[in-house]
Amino acid sequence: MRFDPTGLEGSYLIGLDKRGDERGFFARAFCAEEFAAADLETNFLQANLSFNASAGIVRGMHFQTGKHAEVKLVRCVSGEIFDVIVDLREDSPTHLRWFGARLTADNGDLMYVPRGFAHGYQALTDGATVHYMVSAPYAPEAEGALHHADPRVGIEWPVPVTETSEKDAAVPFLEANGPL
């Protein structure tokens, strides 16, 4: 596996080391030893699957706070998504900076989302399906969100946003000069 830093400390785009022949390829999708050697989370307690009926849908930007803060390991298993992370750590030099990457079923790349980051994605194809593992169980009382169109963050979605949940659409924008 390749662990490519994103420019936001502690986050990585992880590439597969594919071994192929005329039948196709084999690749390790996760290895606790390799993650531990890179000083990354190895204990994932929950796996989630998200199906997106049409291109343009945005899910996110979500995070968990306090003792429920979680690490996510995200992969697109069907179609293509634009996966985005935002650094919410107030003491970080990259506070409120974002990073996005295209994750596809073909490239098999993973986004490693550390604690203290918001995460979301946009479906770029109809039927895009996302599998992600998390290091902590969902805790509604610790749920947080950042608006996907917050001008203070300025995420550049690759296609027009066609749909999001009512809950995500209702998230207020950050104050111009206030903390998160």
Side-chain angles (χ1 to χ4, degrees), residues 59-129:
R59 294 184 184 259
M61 303 293 298
H62 303 140
F63 57 93
Q64 298 255 108
T65 61
K67 68 180 182 178
H68 301 286
E70 62 192 0
V71 172
K72 291 182 182 176
L73 191 56
V74 183
R75 169 179 279 130
C76 182
V77 295
S78 177
E80 181 175 359
I81 65 168
F82 184 66
D83 203 48
V84 176
I85 57 176
V86 177
D87 187 349
L88 301 179
R89 302 168 299 177
E90 291 194 22
D91 60 344
S92 171
T94 57
H95 181 244
L96 295 183
R97 282 195 25 214
W98 66 275
F99 173 83
R102 289 177 185 259
L103 304 183
T104 72
D106 290 338
N107 70 23
D109 288 348
L110 295 134
M111 181 75 78
Y112 181 87
V113 186
R115 289 171 185 84
F117 280 67
H119 171 261
Y121 66 86
Q122 182 178 51
L124 299 179
T125 58
D126 295 349
T129 305

